Amino acid sequence: MQPSGTPMVTVMMPCYQAAATLPTALASLRVQTMRDWRCVCVDDGSTDQTWTLLQEAARHDRRFEVHRFPQNRGRGAARQFLLERVETSLLAFLDADDWMFPTRLEQQVRRLTREPELAAIGSPMVIFDEDEKAVGLAPAYAPRPGMSSGTFDVPVPPGLNFPASMIRADLARRVGFDERFLRSQDSDMLLRALLGRRVAVLDAPVYAYRRAAMTLPKTLDGYRFRIRAHAKHFRDYPSAVAPTIAKTLAKMLAYRVAGLVGQQDRLMDRRYGAMTREVEQAYRAAHSIVETGRETAWTKD
C-alpha cells in the first residue's frame, strides 16, 4: 500500500554497519499513522548487509530514497549529504539503531502545522536495552521550565533530544551540518538553527533510543565536539558559553575517573530518569506494532 499525498516531512537516516538494527528502524517508518512521508538514507560505507537492506526497502516502497558512500565518511558528512536532498518543508531524524513510535510523525507534524511560529519540536526518548526492554527515559526540555514551548535565546545545550526532534527544513538547510564533526554534529546544527527561535516539546515520548549507543569513548568524543560547538558562540554569549564548557569539562573528568574504576556504565545510566507506568505501557504497545510491521515487511505490497 502506497500513499497518494504530497509529503510534508522527510525523515533523514544515515546508516553505518546497521544490518542488525535497520529492519526495526525501517518497520517503524512503515507503520506510521501518517502515511505521506519521505525517507532519504545513505549507507556510509558499511561492509555488512546494510546496503542490501536499503535497496530492498527502496524496491518495495517508493517513499525510500537510498544512496551509498564507497567509504565511511562519518556522520557529519552523511547528514549533510542527506540534508541537501530534502525537498519537503519539515525534517525529522531517525538513527538506524533506533525506532519511532507509530504516531511520532503525525503528532509532530500536527503541532508544527498548527503553530507556524515554532521552529522545531522535540520529545522525550525511551531508552531500551539489548533485550528491547525499556530501562529509562531521556527527558526533553523547553527553554522555559514548566512550559511546553519557549524561545531558545541562549546557546546552552538544546533540550530537544536531536534524534526525536523535527525542524523546519529551511532552517536546517540554512545552517547545515559541520562535516568536520565526528560527534555532536546534531546538537551543533540545532544550536545554530534554533538560536533566537521558538521551540516546543511533546509531553510523552515518541522515540526509542538504543542504550548500546552510550559507550564511554562515544560519550567522551561527544563532549569534545560539544565544546567545539559551543565555543563558536563564545564571542556573542560569553556568560552562557563559559559555564557550559566548564560543566562539560567536569563531566569529561568524571567519566574518565569512572572508566578507570569500572563504573562508567553506572554513571552513564544516571543520564536518564525513571519511567512512569504509562510511559512503559506506551512503549510496549508501540514496540508490538513495530515488531508486527517488521515481521510482515513488504508482504502487503
Side-chain angles (χ1 to χ4, degrees):
M1 179 179 178
Q2 300 284 355
S4 57
T6 300
M8 290 182 62
V9 60
T10 296
V11 179
M12 196 171 81
M13 184 164 61
C15 308
Y16 178 65
Q17 303 293 78
T21 60
L22 185 55
T24 300
L26 295 173
S28 76
L29 270 164
R30 288 175 53 83
V31 301
Q32 288 295 301
T33 54
M34 177 182 175
R35 302 292 294 161
D36 293 323
W37 49 262
R38 177 174 176 259
C39 181
V40 288
C41 314
V42 61
D43 176 7
D44 188 14
S46 301
T47 57
D48 61 3
Q49 294 299 306
T50 294
W51 179 235
T52 299
L53 292 171
L54 290 179
Q55 287 180 300
E56 181 182 22
R59 236 183 353 256
H60 288 88
D61 192 327
R62 67 173 181 266
R63 293 174 293 182
F64 290 100
E65 176 187 324
V66 299
H67 303 271
R68 188 184 194 186
F69 292 163
Q71 295 179 331
N72 181 254
R73 294 173 55 185
R75 282 203 170 186
R79 292 193 195 280
Q80 181 59 30
F81 174 86
L82 293 175
L83 179 60
E84 292 169 0
R85 282 148 184 82
V86 174
E87 299 175 351
T88 55
S89 60
L90 300 176
L91 172 62
F93 309 101
L94 175 62
D95 288 344
D97 51 355
D98 302 336
W99 55 271
M100 307 187 299
F101 286 30
T103 61
R104 183 261 178 106
L105 296 182
E106 180 182 0
Q107 288 191 56
Q108 293 185 324
V109 167
R110 183 191 302 124
R111 183 79 182 269
L112 289 175
T113 301
R114 188 174 67 232
E115 301 178 47
E117 72 278 10
L118 293 178
I121 186 167
S123 160
M125 302 189 303
V126 173
I127 311 300
F128 67 98
D129 63 14
E130 62 276 5
D131 297 320
E132 308 290 323
K133 179 182 177 182
V135 295
L137 185 71
Y141 302 102
R144 294 292 176 265
M147 300 177 66
S148 65
S149 65
T151 300
F152 183 62
D153 51 12
V154 290
V156 296
L160 298 187
N161 290 324
F162 175 84
S165 63
M166 183 180 290
I167 186 172
R168 299 201 184 273
D170 61 336
L171 291 178
R173 284 191 292 263
R174 196 175 305 165
V175 300
F177 290 93
D178 192 329
E179 297 188 25
R180 299 168 299 177
F181 276 41
L182 302 180
R183 299 281 176 196
S184 297
Q185 75 288 141
D186 43 12
S187 59
D188 171 64
M189 187 277 283
L190 287 182
L191 272 173
R192 292 181 288 112
L194 302 181
L195 196 58
R197 295 184 170 88
R198 194 167 184 84
V199 301
V201 295
L202 297 176
D203 294 330
V206 291
Y207 193 95
Y209 185 89
R210 188 176 298 273
R211 185 171 65 175
M214 298 179 179
T215 65
L216 181 59
K218 289 180 179 179
T219 298
L220 291 173
D221 278 347
Y223 283 146
R224 291 188 193 98
F225 282 104
R226 176 186 291 185
I227 290 172
R228 289 175 58 180
H230 287 278
K232 295 178 181 181
H233 305 274
F234 185 82
R235 186 178 67 177
D236 295 326
Y237 301 90
S239 62
V241 171
T244 296
I245 291 177
K247 290 177 183 178
T248 304
L249 289 169
K251 289 179 180 179
M252 291 178 67
L253 178 60
Y255 276 102
R256 286 185 178 278
V257 172
L260 291 174
V261 297
Q263 296 296 309
Q264 66 271 20
D265 291 340
R266 186 175 181 179
L267 184 59
M268 282 190 284
D269 284 348
R270 293 173 58 185
R271 294 171 64 179
Y272 49 85
M275 295 179 299
T276 63
R277 172 184 284 186
E278 290 76 15
V279 167
E280 187 165 3
Q281 289 175 340
Y283 171 85
R284 290 177 181 174
H287 183 263
S288 177
I289 294 171
V290 171
E291 280 300 294
T292 299
R294 173 176 175 167
E295 293 168 2
T296 59
W298 324 129
T299 59
K300 297 181 181 180
D301 295 322

